[in-house]
């Protein structure tokens, strides 16, 4: 019964990085399993020895040796200091290599598509600068092709996490952070903000849709045909604190919007987009 | 001047809407009703306590014997009582948080998002600043002077100020339940979310002033503990003859001195932003929230070792005492403790691997974090080898220690995972992280604090705690932890964010329900602690241990009566080696009268600490609601009290030698009359605190 629950319940792990849908998440999972394996050897002796020792030398067990004045042994000291240190040295080498290999700023091989993400309360704006389109709360990416995501925030600090694709990075106002990832195959995945940012936090989730090359092209054509335009006024409305019931799409974007959002926040601490609108930024 | 102006000057921004009762009247939703109920518990509880004290005519007793006392033992007990009250509140909040997430699966659940955010913010802030810190400060306060053969702390008056500042901060936390609302920014209060632009309400201000009072109080506690250990040790007690708990207390105190000021600075700069329109951490105008994050964790990471080291000290004492054996690898443990204290200042960045710094920086801090695992692992092995060839009694504190060794090791396992930056990227800010630090704080810190409470309780009050309820409580704390937090590891690995008021994936439901059962079990653990206390007080006459050494333990604190007299030692002991009392017992040197009894000078009661604490809380309240006259007046009171105290000359009292001698001889007579108990019978009623020892 309990076992069934465990097995059935462990299905939830398919939602996370242990069921990767891209090369970065796959490498992360491998590293996770590898460290778990090493650590089992480290924690195993303690987890077994502590209760065993207490039980074996319990007071009622009068046949055991009692050495109240025994409190030091060089060989034991060596055993408890040296092997753990060596394991940490080994893990450190491994950690140094993988932190660089899986650095979120490190570009993936191949021609990456450039996307810019702006964290707003309580929604995500995705701008496709080359394609000149934008979406809100839906990130559409071509499967099998690397994505280079630039992030900033139009409001407080947030953190983007797409568990099956890649780990998180903070989005901070006035700054640009980066994330490189890729989806192996077409599919839909969950994306979320995991840094608390107010009453709409739990609703700030979005769908990541990885489309095949052809489907992605069709999607682009369809979205470009839409009349909505993301200019300063539209951005100001969007940046107000609100949750959206459904994703939005913009057929055109004012050029350089992402850079100006950063610049404006550095200067004025703009929030909720009011300062941007007041300056008439992004007018055609 | 018209009416509203006067009211504004008198009451600042206070209005009827600040009262949860009024809010619940206007909008009777479940969420507001829970808020109103919590507020009424505080009000009714306060009124009931006041009425009870008046009825029992206990005011004078409480004021003269406790509130104004500078006795380190009483201050220690008051710290722990405060921790107990705050633990109760924060644990109820934890159960509410778990209930919310377990019921709000594609449903609104019990509380609305703003209320939920207050719950997790107060839960975290209280557990760290007003449960863990007072608890460990209380234990250190009580035990360390007794262990080093001192009569009090180095600065008894500062000790009282520190206590009452902490009480003042805790009072602000409680007041926020009744008047206004608390912060929603989490226990770390990250700007810019906590800045005026995004949070114009009083919540972050409550948080700022409560935490500021606590951090100032802890800084003074740190200075006091360190100076006590530096200067007040009994003759002959060299560094390497100090009990392990003193070593861990010393390292914690040094860390407090260095780690608390960055927090005070961070909260005060945030206050400057909010009150004076400055731009330290705002978006724009040159503000940079990353500075806050660095300052906060420059405090926050050493803080977790400030919390855990005293617990390590408790385990060292408990495992050695209940194994009837000297601590294995004392020198190793000292080196490991000091190494942890130093290394803990080199790892703060692992709290924000995801802020976009280079891989070199992340890797360096990741490796430093892993390195701490080595001395920590050494400590755990040292405790295991202490049990080796010992005679282990599985008393509740010992059970907690064994549960700690296993649980904490699992926490270290997930700690190494989180210390690896690429893994932290996917697990940070998820429930995996929540599970990890609760694993360390419950399985490491809380077990240690409870073990210490049970271990030293007979010393402080002169009777043993009920063993049966102790075991029940231990089972609840251990089972509750595993039930509550193992599911969170799974959910975190599945990508569930922390702090979500609503959950959208029905597959999470079974795990959240198990976690809820765990939270309820932990709550049962707390209730059984209270039952244990009640039962033990009821049966205290049968369980008295007046001679003072119920466990055949080793430190000097066990060499005096239980409870100890106000002056601790009739004559200051001379220490010839480690575990001095243990060897004195074996060499027939214990329980002898002093050669000469002298008058003893002790610090006199002082109301200054209470006045400063109350005024500081009033100042905080005035600042929260912009009642400027109140803030200014309170600051003035603090200033005047501080100056006035410095001119007081009559600050000590003399205990006459006859009083000391009479007490000592009566106690020695009890010791002679007592029946020495073997370890097999230490939990029976014949245990009067005199141990039967094998030479």
């Amino acid at each position: 019964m309990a076992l069934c629950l465990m097995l059935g319940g462990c299905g939830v792990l398919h939602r996370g990085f242990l069921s990767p849908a891209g090369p970065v998440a796959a490498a992360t999972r491998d590293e996770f399993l590898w460290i778990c394996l090493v650590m089992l050897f480290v924690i195993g002796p303690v987890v077994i020895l502590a209760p065993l020792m207490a039980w074996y030398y319990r007071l009622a067990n009068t046949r055991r040796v009692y050495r109240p004045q025994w409190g030091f042994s060089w060989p034991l000291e060596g055993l408890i200091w040296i092997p753990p240190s060596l394991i940490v040295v080994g893990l450190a080498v491994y950690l140094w290599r993988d932190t660089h290999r899986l650095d979120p700023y490190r570009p993936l091989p191949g021609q990456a598509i450039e996307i810019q993400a702006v964290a707003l309360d309580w929604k995500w704006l995705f701008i496709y600068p080359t394609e000149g389109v934008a979406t809100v709360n839906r990130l559409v990416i071509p499967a099998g092709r690397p994505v280079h995501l630039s992030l900033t925030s139009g409001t407080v600090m947030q953190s983007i996490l797409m568990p099956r694709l890649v780990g998180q990075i903070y989005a901070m106002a006035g700054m640009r952070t980066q994330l490189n990832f890729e989806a192996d195959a077409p599919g839909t995945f969950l994306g979320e903000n995991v840094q608390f940012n107010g009453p709409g936090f739990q609703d700030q989730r979005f769908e990541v849709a990885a489309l095949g090359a052809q489907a992605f092209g069709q999607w682009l054509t369809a979205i470009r045909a839409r009349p909505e335009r993301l200019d300063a006024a539209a951005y100001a409305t969007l940046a107000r604190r609100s949750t959206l019931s459904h994703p939005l799409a913009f057929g055109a974007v004012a050029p350089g919007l992402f850079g100006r959002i950063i610049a404006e926040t550095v200067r004025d601490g703009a929030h909720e987009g009011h300062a941007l609108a007041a300056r008439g930024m992004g007018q055609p | 001047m018209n009416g509203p102006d006067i009211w504004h000057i008198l009451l600042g921004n206070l209005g009827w809407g600040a009262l949860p009762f009024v809010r619940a009247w206007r909008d009777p939703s479940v969420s507001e009703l829970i808020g109103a109920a919590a507020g009424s518990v505080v009000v009714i509880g306060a009124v009931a306590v006041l009425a009870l004290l008046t009825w029992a005519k206990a005011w004078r007793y409480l004021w003269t014997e406790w509130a104004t006392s500078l006795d380190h033992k009483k201050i220690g007990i008051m710290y722990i009582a405060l921790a107990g009250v705050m633990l109760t509140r924060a644990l109820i909040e934890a159960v509410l948080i778990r209930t919310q997430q377990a019921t709000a699966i594609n449903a609104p659940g019990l509380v609305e998002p703003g209320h939920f955010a207050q719950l997790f913010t107060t839960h975290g802030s209280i557990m760290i600043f007003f449960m863990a810190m007072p608890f460990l400060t209380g234990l250190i306060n009580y035990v360390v002077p007794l262990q080093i053969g001192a009569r009090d702390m180095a600065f008894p008056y500062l000790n009282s100020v520190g206590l009452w500042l902490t009480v003042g901060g805790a009072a602000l936390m409680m007041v926020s339940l009744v008047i206004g609302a608390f912060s929603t920014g989490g226990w770390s209060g990250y700007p810019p979310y906590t800045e005026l632009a995004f949070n114009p309400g009083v919540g972050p201000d409550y948080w700022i002033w409560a935490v500021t009072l606590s951090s100032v109080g802890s800084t003074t506690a740190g200075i006091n503990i360190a100076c006590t250990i530096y200067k007040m040790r009994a003759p002959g007690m060299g560094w390497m003859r100090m009990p392990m708990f003193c070593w861990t207390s010393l390292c914690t105190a040094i860390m407090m001195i260095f780690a608390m000021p960055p927090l005070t600075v961070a909260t005060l700069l945030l206050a400057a932003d909010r009150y004076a329109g400055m731009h330290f951490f705002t978006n724009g105008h040159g503000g940079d929230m990353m500075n806050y994050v660095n300052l906060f964790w420059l405090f926050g990471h050493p803080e977790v070792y400030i919390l855990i080291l005293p617990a390590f000290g408790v385990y060292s004492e408990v495992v050695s005492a209940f194994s009837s054996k000297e601590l294995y690898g004392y020198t190793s443990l000292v080196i490991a403790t000091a190494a942890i204290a130093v290394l803990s200042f080199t790892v703060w960045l692992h709290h924000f691997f995801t802020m976009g710094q280079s891989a070199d920086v992340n890797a360096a801090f990741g490796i430093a974090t892993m390195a701490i695992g080595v001395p920590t692992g050494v400590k755990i092995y040292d405790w295991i080898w202490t049990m080796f060839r010992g005679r282990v009694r599985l008393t509740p504190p010992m059970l907690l220690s064994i549960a700690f060794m296993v649980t904490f090791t699992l926490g270290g396992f997930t700690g190494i995972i989180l210390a690896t930056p690429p893994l932290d990227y996917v697990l940070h800010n998820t429930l995996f992280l929540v599970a990890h630090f609760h694993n360390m704080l419950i399985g490491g810190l809380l077990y240690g604090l409870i073990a210490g409470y049970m271990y030293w309780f007979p010393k402080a009050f002169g009777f043993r705690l009920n063993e049966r309820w102790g075991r029940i409580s231990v089972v609840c704390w251990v089972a509750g932890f595993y039930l509550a937090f193992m599911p969170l590891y799974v959910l975190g690995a599945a990508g569930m964010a922390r702090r979500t008021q609503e959950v959208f994936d029905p597959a999470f439901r079974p795990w959240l329900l198990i976690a809820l059962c765990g939270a309820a079990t932990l709550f049962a653990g707390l209730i059984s602690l209270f039952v244990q206390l009640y039962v033990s007080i009821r049966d205290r006459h049968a369980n008295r241990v007046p001679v003072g050494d119920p466990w055949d333990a080793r430190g000097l604190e066990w060499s005096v009566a239980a409870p100890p007299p106000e002056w601790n030692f009739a004559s200051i002991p001379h220490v010839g080696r480690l575990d001095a009392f243990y060897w004195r017992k074996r060499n027939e040197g214990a329980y002898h009268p002093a050669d000469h009894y002298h008058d003893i000078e002790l610090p006199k009661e002082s109301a200054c600490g209470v006045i400063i604490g109350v005024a500081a809380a009033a100042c905080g309240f005035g600042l929260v609601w912009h009642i400027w006259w109140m803030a200014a007046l309170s600051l003035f009171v603090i200033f005047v009290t501080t100056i006035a105290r410095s001119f007081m000359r009559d600050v000590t009292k003399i205990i006459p030698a006859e009083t000391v001698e009479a007490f000592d001889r009566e106690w020695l007579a009890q010791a002679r009359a007592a029946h020495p108990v073997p370890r097999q019978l230490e939990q029976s009623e014949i245990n009067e605190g005199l141990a039967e020892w094998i030479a």
Side-chain angles (χ1 to χ4, degrees), chain A residues 15 57 59 66 71 77 100 168 170 192 269, chain B residues 283 324 329 332 354 360 392 425 428 495 505:
Chain A
R15 286 153 174 79
Y57 289 105
L59 183 61
Y66 177 48
E77 286 298 299
H100 286 81
Q168 69 202 286
Y170 289 157
E192 55 189 337
Chain B
N283 285 349
S324 298
S332 229
T354 54
D360 288 350
V392 179
Y425 299 148
H428 182 55
D505 195 337

PDB file of all heavy atoms in Angstrom, chain A residues 15 57 59 66 71 77 100 168 170 192 269, chain B residues 283 324 329 332 354 360 392 425 428 495 505:
ATOM      1  N   ARG A  15       7.701  15.842 -13.517  1.00  0.00           N
ATOM      2  CA  ARG A  15       7.488  17.269 -13.768  1.00  0.00           C
ATOM      3  C   ARG A  15       8.774  18.073 -13.609  1.00  0.00           C
ATOM      4  O   ARG A  15       8.805  19.247 -13.941  1.00  0.00           O
ATOM      5  CB  ARG A  15       6.431  17.796 -12.807  1.00  0.00           C
ATOM      6  CG  ARG A  15       5.053  17.346 -13.185  1.00  0.00           C
ATOM      7  CD  ARG A  15       4.145  17.282 -11.978  1.00  0.00           C
ATOM      8  NE  ARG A  15       2.788  16.976 -12.366  1.00  0.00           N
ATOM      9  CZ  ARG A  15       2.357  15.751 -12.660  1.00  0.00           C
ATOM     10  NH1 ARG A  15       3.185  14.731 -12.617  1.00  0.00           N
ATOM     11  NH2 ARG A  15       1.111  15.549 -13.020  1.00  0.00           N
ATOM     12  N   TYR A  57      25.917  -0.683  22.493  1.00  0.00           N
ATOM     13  CA  TYR A  57      26.538  -0.335  23.775  1.00  0.00           C
ATOM     14  C   TYR A  57      25.521   0.172  24.782  1.00  0.00           C
ATOM     15  O   TYR A  57      25.857   0.918  25.686  1.00  0.00           O
ATOM     16  CB  TYR A  57      27.653   0.692  23.553  1.00  0.00           C
ATOM     17  CG  TYR A  57      28.846   0.071  22.877  1.00  0.00           C
ATOM     18  CD1 TYR A  57      29.107   0.299  21.538  1.00  0.00           C
ATOM     19  CD2 TYR A  57      29.683  -0.786  23.582  1.00  0.00           C
ATOM     20  CE1 TYR A  57      30.186  -0.297  20.907  1.00  0.00           C
ATOM     21  CE2 TYR A  57      30.763  -1.395  22.958  1.00  0.00           C
ATOM     22  CZ  TYR A  57      31.007  -1.157  21.627  1.00  0.00           C
ATOM     23  OH  TYR A  57      32.077  -1.755  21.015  1.00  0.00           O
ATOM     24  N   LEU A  59      23.076   0.343  27.958  1.00  0.00           N
ATOM     25  CA  LEU A  59      23.403   0.005  29.339  1.00  0.00           C
ATOM     26  C   LEU A  59      22.989  -1.416  29.693  1.00  0.00           C
ATOM     27  O   LEU A  59      23.702  -2.135  30.399  1.00  0.00           O
ATOM     28  CB  LEU A  59      22.698   1.022  30.250  1.00  0.00           C
ATOM     29  CG  LEU A  59      22.958   0.894  31.743  1.00  0.00           C
ATOM     30  CD1 LEU A  59      24.428   1.084  32.041  1.00  0.00           C
ATOM     31  CD2 LEU A  59      22.135   1.925  32.496  1.00  0.00           C
ATOM     32  N   TYR A  66      33.536  -1.856  28.415  1.00  0.00           N
ATOM     33  CA  TYR A  66      33.284  -0.493  28.855  1.00  0.00           C
ATOM     34  C   TYR A  66      34.620   0.185  29.100  1.00  0.00           C
ATOM     35  O   TYR A  66      35.402  -0.258  29.933  1.00  0.00           O
ATOM     36  CB  TYR A  66      32.423  -0.518  30.122  1.00  0.00           C
ATOM     37  CG  TYR A  66      32.149   0.840  30.720  1.00  0.00           C
ATOM     38  CD1 TYR A  66      31.724   1.900  29.927  1.00  0.00           C
ATOM     39  CD2 TYR A  66      32.307   1.064  32.084  1.00  0.00           C
ATOM     40  CE1 TYR A  66      31.468   3.142  30.473  1.00  0.00           C
ATOM     41  CE2 TYR A  66      32.047   2.301  32.643  1.00  0.00           C
ATOM     42  CZ  TYR A  66      31.629   3.344  31.831  1.00  0.00           C
ATOM     43  OH  TYR A  66      31.375   4.572  32.374  1.00  0.00           O
ATOM     44  N   GLY A  71      39.402   8.024  24.799  1.00  0.00           N
ATOM     45  CA  GLY A  71      38.882   9.211  24.125  1.00  0.00           C
ATOM     46  C   GLY A  71      39.721   9.679  22.959  1.00  0.00           C
ATOM     47  O   GLY A  71      39.524  10.784  22.466  1.00  0.00           O
ATOM     48  N   GLU A  77      41.318   9.137  14.045  1.00  0.00           N
ATOM     49  CA  GLU A  77      41.363  10.544  13.629  1.00  0.00           C
ATOM     50  C   GLU A  77      41.655  10.639  12.139  1.00  0.00           C
ATOM     51  O   GLU A  77      41.018  11.401  11.410  1.00  0.00           O
ATOM     52  CB  GLU A  77      42.458  11.291  14.402  1.00  0.00           C
ATOM     53  CG  GLU A  77      42.111  11.575  15.848  1.00  0.00           C
ATOM     54  CD  GLU A  77      40.888  12.475  15.994  1.00  0.00           C
ATOM     55  OE1 GLU A  77      40.918  13.611  15.508  1.00  0.00           O
ATOM     56  OE2 GLU A  77      39.913  12.010  16.596  1.00  0.00           O
ATOM     57  N   HIS A 100      31.342  25.389 -14.613  1.00  0.00           N
ATOM     58  CA  HIS A 100      31.690  26.100 -15.853  1.00  0.00           C
ATOM     59  C   HIS A 100      30.961  25.510 -17.055  1.00  0.00           C
ATOM     60  O   HIS A 100      30.476  26.237 -17.910  1.00  0.00           O
ATOM     61  CB  HIS A 100      33.206  26.070 -16.055  1.00  0.00           C
ATOM     62  CG  HIS A 100      33.937  26.995 -15.132  1.00  0.00           C
ATOM     63  ND1 HIS A 100      34.232  26.667 -13.834  1.00  0.00           N
ATOM     64  CD2 HIS A 100      34.378  28.270 -15.304  1.00  0.00           C
ATOM     65  CE1 HIS A 100      34.842  27.692 -13.236  1.00  0.00           C
ATOM     66  NE2 HIS A 100      34.935  28.675 -14.113  1.00  0.00           N
ATOM     67  N   GLN A 168      17.141  27.995 -12.864  1.00  0.00           N
ATOM     68  CA  GLN A 168      16.658  29.373 -12.843  1.00  0.00           C
ATOM     69  C   GLN A 168      17.783  30.395 -12.838  1.00  0.00           C
ATOM     70  O   GLN A 168      18.935  30.095 -12.554  1.00  0.00           O
ATOM     71  CB  GLN A 168      15.814  29.595 -11.615  1.00  0.00           C
ATOM     72  CG  GLN A 168      16.613  29.579 -10.321  1.00  0.00           C
ATOM     73  CD  GLN A 168      15.749  29.262  -9.137  1.00  0.00           C
ATOM     74  OE1 GLN A 168      14.975  30.087  -8.703  1.00  0.00           O
ATOM     75  NE2 GLN A 168      15.870  28.039  -8.646  1.00  0.00           N
ATOM     76  N   TYR A 170      17.922  34.827 -11.781  1.00  0.00           N
ATOM     77  CA  TYR A 170      17.109  35.963 -11.340  1.00  0.00           C
ATOM     78  C   TYR A 170      16.925  36.965 -12.476  1.00  0.00           C
ATOM     79  O   TYR A 170      17.812  37.152 -13.304  1.00  0.00           O
ATOM     80  CB  TYR A 170      17.784  36.698 -10.179  1.00  0.00           C
ATOM     81  CG  TYR A 170      17.786  35.963  -8.867  1.00  0.00           C
ATOM     82  CD1 TYR A 170      18.737  36.276  -7.901  1.00  0.00           C
ATOM     83  CD2 TYR A 170      16.847  34.986  -8.582  1.00  0.00           C
ATOM     84  CE1 TYR A 170      18.753  35.621  -6.678  1.00  0.00           C
ATOM     85  CE2 TYR A 170      16.863  34.331  -7.364  1.00  0.00           C
ATOM     86  CZ  TYR A 170      17.815  34.645  -6.420  1.00  0.00           C
ATOM     87  OH  TYR A 170      17.831  34.001  -5.214  1.00  0.00           O
ATOM     88  N   GLU A 192       7.729  28.947 -14.605  1.00  0.00           N
ATOM     89  CA  GLU A 192       7.135  29.655 -13.469  1.00  0.00           C
ATOM     90  C   GLU A 192       8.116  30.658 -12.897  1.00  0.00           C
ATOM     91  O   GLU A 192       9.319  30.570 -13.132  1.00  0.00           O
ATOM     92  CB  GLU A 192       6.711  28.653 -12.377  1.00  0.00           C
ATOM     93  CG  GLU A 192       7.845  27.745 -11.937  1.00  0.00           C
ATOM     94  CD  GLU A 192       7.417  26.600 -11.018  1.00  0.00           C
ATOM     95  OE1 GLU A 192       6.370  26.723 -10.380  1.00  0.00           O
ATOM     96  OE2 GLU A 192       8.155  25.613 -10.938  1.00  0.00           O
ATOM     97  N   GLY A 269      14.010  54.242 -11.551  1.00  0.00           N
ATOM     98  CA  GLY A 269      13.389  53.235 -10.714  1.00  0.00           C
ATOM     99  C   GLY A 269      11.969  52.991 -11.136  1.00  0.00           C
ATOM    100  O   GLY A 269      11.075  52.782 -10.310  1.00  0.00           O
TER     101      GLY A 269
ATOM    102  N   ASN B 283      14.944  50.293  -7.008  1.00  0.00           N
ATOM    103  CA  ASN B 283      15.197  50.307  -8.451  1.00  0.00           C
ATOM    104  C   ASN B 283      15.529  51.755  -8.812  1.00  0.00           C
ATOM    105  O   ASN B 283      14.843  52.668  -8.394  1.00  0.00           O
ATOM    106  CB  ASN B 283      13.928  49.910  -9.218  1.00  0.00           C
ATOM    107  CG  ASN B 283      13.661  48.420  -9.141  1.00  0.00           C
ATOM    108  OD1 ASN B 283      14.503  47.651  -8.690  1.00  0.00           O
ATOM    109  ND2 ASN B 283      12.486  48.013  -9.580  1.00  0.00           N
ATOM    110  N   SER B 324      28.190   7.608  29.606  1.00  0.00           N
ATOM    111  CA  SER B 324      29.100   7.434  30.749  1.00  0.00           C
ATOM    112  C   SER B 324      30.536   7.349  30.273  1.00  0.00           C
ATOM    113  O   SER B 324      31.280   6.463  30.670  1.00  0.00           O
ATOM    114  CB  SER B 324      28.767   6.156  31.531  1.00  0.00           C
ATOM    115  OG  SER B 324      27.474   6.248  32.039  1.00  0.00           O
ATOM    116  N   GLY B 329      37.758  12.462  21.058  1.00  0.00           N
ATOM    117  CA  GLY B 329      38.365  13.450  20.162  1.00  0.00           C
ATOM    118  C   GLY B 329      38.066  14.886  20.533  1.00  0.00           C
ATOM    119  O   GLY B 329      37.682  15.686  19.679  1.00  0.00           O
ATOM    120  N   SER B 332      39.954  17.340  18.445  1.00  0.00           N
ATOM    121  CA  SER B 332      39.375  17.318  17.106  1.00  0.00           C
ATOM    122  C   SER B 332      38.100  18.152  17.055  1.00  0.00           C
ATOM    123  O   SER B 332      37.876  18.922  16.117  1.00  0.00           O
ATOM    124  CB  SER B 332      39.022  15.870  16.786  1.00  0.00           C
ATOM    125  OG  SER B 332      39.510  15.504  15.555  1.00  0.00           O
ATOM    126  N   THR B 354      22.100  32.055  -8.116  1.00  0.00           N
ATOM    127  CA  THR B 354      21.297  32.307  -9.318  1.00  0.00           C
ATOM    128  C   THR B 354      21.190  33.793  -9.626  1.00  0.00           C
ATOM    129  O   THR B 354      20.269  34.203 -10.309  1.00  0.00           O
ATOM    130  CB  THR B 354      19.889  31.741  -9.128  1.00  0.00           C
ATOM    131  OG1 THR B 354      19.362  32.286  -7.909  1.00  0.00           O
ATOM    132  CG2 THR B 354      19.899  30.239  -9.028  1.00  0.00           C
ATOM    133  N   ASP B 360      33.206  31.237 -12.110  1.00  0.00           N
ATOM    134  CA  ASP B 360      34.349  31.171 -11.189  1.00  0.00           C
ATOM    135  C   ASP B 360      33.902  31.463  -9.762  1.00  0.00           C
ATOM    136  O   ASP B 360      34.240  30.752  -8.821  1.00  0.00           O
ATOM    137  CB  ASP B 360      35.421  32.199 -11.590  1.00  0.00           C
ATOM    138  CG  ASP B 360      36.147  31.789 -12.851  1.00  0.00           C
ATOM    139  OD1 ASP B 360      35.943  30.634 -13.288  1.00  0.00           O
ATOM    140  OD2 ASP B 360      36.887  32.605 -13.401  1.00  0.00           O
ATOM    141  N   VAL B 392      25.386   3.246  27.097  1.00  0.00           N
ATOM    142  CA  VAL B 392      24.451   4.224  26.564  1.00  0.00           C
ATOM    143  C   VAL B 392      23.077   4.058  27.199  1.00  0.00           C
ATOM    144  O   VAL B 392      22.530   2.955  27.231  1.00  0.00           O
ATOM    145  CB  VAL B 392      24.349   4.078  25.030  1.00  0.00           C
ATOM    146  CG1 VAL B 392      23.352   5.073  24.467  1.00  0.00           C
ATOM    147  CG2 VAL B 392      25.714   4.266  24.395  1.00  0.00           C
ATOM    148  N   TYR B 425      20.691  25.664  -9.337  1.00  0.00           N
ATOM    149  CA  TYR B 425      19.869  26.403 -10.314  1.00  0.00           C
ATOM    150  C   TYR B 425      18.466  25.811 -10.435  1.00  0.00           C
ATOM    151  O   TYR B 425      17.497  26.537 -10.581  1.00  0.00           O
ATOM    152  CB  TYR B 425      20.523  26.396 -11.707  1.00  0.00           C
ATOM    153  CG  TYR B 425      21.885  27.038 -11.777  1.00  0.00           C
ATOM    154  CD1 TYR B 425      22.840  26.575 -12.681  1.00  0.00           C
ATOM    155  CD2 TYR B 425      22.229  28.104 -10.946  1.00  0.00           C
ATOM    156  CE1 TYR B 425      24.096  27.157 -12.747  1.00  0.00           C
ATOM    157  CE2 TYR B 425      23.485  28.689 -11.013  1.00  0.00           C
ATOM    158  CZ  TYR B 425      24.408  28.205 -11.912  1.00  0.00           C
ATOM    159  OH  TYR B 425      25.651  28.765 -11.985  1.00  0.00           O
ATOM    160  N   HIS B 428      16.912  25.732  -6.228  1.00  0.00           N
ATOM    161  CA  HIS B 428      16.756  26.960  -5.457  1.00  0.00           C
ATOM    162  C   HIS B 428      15.311  27.456  -5.549  1.00  0.00           C
ATOM    163  O   HIS B 428      14.656  27.268  -6.576  1.00  0.00           O
ATOM    164  CB  HIS B 428      17.713  28.010  -6.030  1.00  0.00           C
ATOM    165  CG  HIS B 428      17.685  29.316  -5.288  1.00  0.00           C
ATOM    166  ND1 HIS B 428      17.896  29.404  -3.937  1.00  0.00           N
ATOM    167  CD2 HIS B 428      17.461  30.577  -5.704  1.00  0.00           C
ATOM    168  CE1 HIS B 428      17.805  30.677  -3.557  1.00  0.00           C
ATOM    169  NE2 HIS B 428      17.535  31.402  -4.617  1.00  0.00           N
ATOM    170  N   GLY B 495       9.790  20.537  -9.016  1.00  0.00           N
ATOM    171  CA  GLY B 495       9.695  21.916  -9.492  1.00  0.00           C
ATOM    172  C   GLY B 495       8.656  22.767  -8.799  1.00  0.00           C
ATOM    173  O   GLY B 495       8.337  23.850  -9.279  1.00  0.00           O
ATOM    174  N   ASP B 505      -1.308  21.649  -9.547  1.00  0.00           N
ATOM    175  CA  ASP B 505      -1.089  20.308 -10.056  1.00  0.00           C
ATOM    176  C   ASP B 505      -1.660  19.277  -9.071  1.00  0.00           C
ATOM    177  O   ASP B 505      -1.116  19.095  -7.986  1.00  0.00           O
ATOM    178  CB  ASP B 505       0.416  20.084 -10.234  1.00  0.00           C
ATOM    179  CG  ASP B 505       0.702  18.866 -11.082  1.00  0.00           C
ATOM    180  OD1 ASP B 505      -0.197  17.988 -11.147  1.00  0.00           O
ATOM    181  OD2 ASP B 505       1.788  18.791 -11.666  1.00  0.00           O
TER     182      ASP B 505
END
